[in-house]
């Protein structure tokens, strides 16, 4: 199971910090989370992703069960 | 040795004097300090309260950004902090202090650290407006 | 109303927190502070002590320079001070604080005020070196 | 008598804050002060002048007895 963590507006849309999802690619994870949390559909297009702490822009990237995928809305620090 | 003497993501109040003291150096002719304070309005709407949320890697990224910029300038020390959680209006959310022998380096490095942190740090800002609406900044 | 809330030539210690508080404004997103501290060396020679002397008009010129620059930027407030007399090493000789809604204005105005004050203010600096020699800065 | 005030290196050279001098022009004041304080000769070429608080670069400027002339070495504030 891949661990998916939600932050800020993504967390507000899912009302959860984290879920475990069975999926083989980032794309599959995103599709399954939208299915589970329909409000996320409006948020995801603006998000970037961290896979095990490293920026991941290729959504076809293959996942292993112990992977950690973070869903990051646009930053607004500083 | 690292030029970054402190890089902190904290829910505590940020005391600028403490950070200025951290970068002070008897050889430093110039200290430039940037303080980003919580405003009482945003784009014309009165803000009631404001909360920052950080990714667990935020502190490590704060340090990395400061070190990368520091290496480009003739400066002595940098100390910086980003506050998270609920921040009362008027208090400091983000502070950067830079010391250098010459003021041009201190000004340029401080401004570039502020600019880069704003781009790179995984921190989010949630505003509650006086009219009851709320907003994730940079999102809507 | 003047944007310059304080412009002081003083023989007292300059407390930067006091000046930062003077320019703080619940609407200000950014405060930029420049602190010019007394260095322990100048052009490679160790400095033992340092004294500033001011013309009687210095305070009035300090205010005028700050007002002229402030009028060119979108800033809220400026507070600044120049210390005179004998200043211990490491203490602040010159402080400028600027508050603004946006950081670019605060950085640019602060830096320009520092630059202009250095050119225009009738203040002189006398350095005593560790080897017993002394120097009027910008004179020899 | 014109009042002449010395500052910083000019004061160090004359070892005085202020003198009264009888003269009709700025130029005359300067010549007479150098006569009185020979060490000032090395300092004056670097100085600027304030006449009654206003910058004065024309050394032939006529003076009145109540005038105040300040002798200012190069500034080093900030």
């Amino acid at each position: 199971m891949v661990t998916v963590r939600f932050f800020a507006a993504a967390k507000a849309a899912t009302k959860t910090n984290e879920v475990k999802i069975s999926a083989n690619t980032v794309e599959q994870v995103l599709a399954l989370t939208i299915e589970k949390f329909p409000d996320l559909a409006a948020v995801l297009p603006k998000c970037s992703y961290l896979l095990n702490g490293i920026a991941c822009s290729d959504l076809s990237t293959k996942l292993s069960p112990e992977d950690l995928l973070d869903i990051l809305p646009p930053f607004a620090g500083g | 040795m690292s030029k970054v003497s402190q890089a902190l993501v904290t829910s505590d109040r940020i005391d600028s004097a403490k950070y200025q003291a951290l970068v002070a150096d008897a050889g430093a002719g110039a200290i430039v300090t940037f303080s980003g304070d919580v405003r009482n309005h945003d784009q014309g709407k009165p803000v009631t309260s404001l909360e920052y949320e950080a990714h667990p890697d935020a502190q490590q990224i704060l340090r990395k950004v400061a070190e990368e910029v520091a290496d480009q300038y003739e400066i002595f020390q940098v100390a910086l902090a980003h506050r998270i959680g609920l921040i009362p209006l008027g208090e400091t959310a983000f502070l950067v202090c830079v010391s250098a022998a010459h003021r041009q380096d201190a000004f340029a490095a401080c401004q570039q650290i502020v600019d880069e942190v704003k781009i790179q740090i995984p921190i989010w800002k949630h505003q509650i407006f006086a009219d009851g609406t709320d907003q994730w900044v940079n999102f809507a």
Side-chain angles (χ1 to χ4, degrees), chain A, chain B:
Chain A
M1 302 279 272
V2 174
T3 302
V4 183
R5 295 193 297 186
F6 304 106
F7 294 91
K11 184 164 67 182
T14 62
K15 298 183 178 61
T16 187
N17 289 322
E18 169 176 330
V19 291
K20 306 269 186 190
I21 284 188
S22 254
N24 296 317
T25 66
V26 174
E27 214 159 23
Q28 274 183 24
V29 169
L30 300 181
L32 290 167
T33 53
I34 288 177
E35 210 165 90
K36 198 171 163 76
F37 306 106
D39 288 353
L40 203 57
V43 175
L44 280 187
K46 296 172 177 165
C47 290
S48 59
Y49 309 102
L50 279 185
L51 182 56
N52 303 320
I54 294 169
C56 169
S57 54
D58 178 2
L59 301 189
S60 66
T61 302
K62 292 269 186 301
L63 299 176
S64 311
E66 69 282 10
D67 281 345
L68 175 66
L69 184 74
D70 288 341
I71 298 186
L72 312 179
F75 304 159
Chain B
M1 221 192 79
S2 170
K3 290 177 179 172
V4 180
S5 49
Q6 174 96 274
L8 208 62
V9 170
T10 174
S11 55
D12 295 335
R13 206 165 181 285
I14 296 173
D15 174 6
S16 76
K18 204 185 95 184
Y19 289 82
Q20 286 167 331
L22 274 173
V23 301
D25 181 294
I31 297 178
V32 171
T33 302
F34 171 81
S35 164
D37 293 0
V38 167
R39 285 186 283 177
N40 63 6
H41 66 274
D42 192 50
Q43 293 163 337
K45 287 175 78 174
V47 171
T48 305
S49 79
L50 207 139
E51 194 162 7
Y52 283 91
E53 177 184 337
H55 186 276
D57 297 345
Q59 181 163 300
Q60 175 192 326
I61 291 167
L62 190 66
R63 174 173 290 274
K64 180 183 72 78
V65 169
E67 282 178 346
E68 282 172 2
V69 177
D71 283 344
Q72 300 169 38
Y73 292 93
E74 287 290 320
I75 62 175
F76 288 120
Q77 287 285 312
V78 179
L80 73 174
H82 201 301
R83 187 165 168 190
I84 55 172
L86 203 65
I87 308 187
L89 299 185
E91 295 198 1
T92 297
F94 178 39
L95 186 85
V96 180
C97 290
V98 176
S99 64
H102 301 290
R103 69 186 186 280
Q104 291 83 356
D105 298 304
F107 271 112
C110 185
Q111 188 157 11
Q112 195 177 329
I113 290 169
V114 174
D115 289 349
E116 285 296 324
V117 167
K118 281 182 182 269
I119 292 167
Q120 296 191 41
I121 200 165
I123 284 186
W124 299 275
K125 184 173 170 177
H126 190 223
Q127 293 184 142
I128 316 276
F129 296 104
D131 63 9
T133 59
D134 73 309
Q135 179 203 33
W136 289 95
V137 176
N138 287 349
F139 181 75

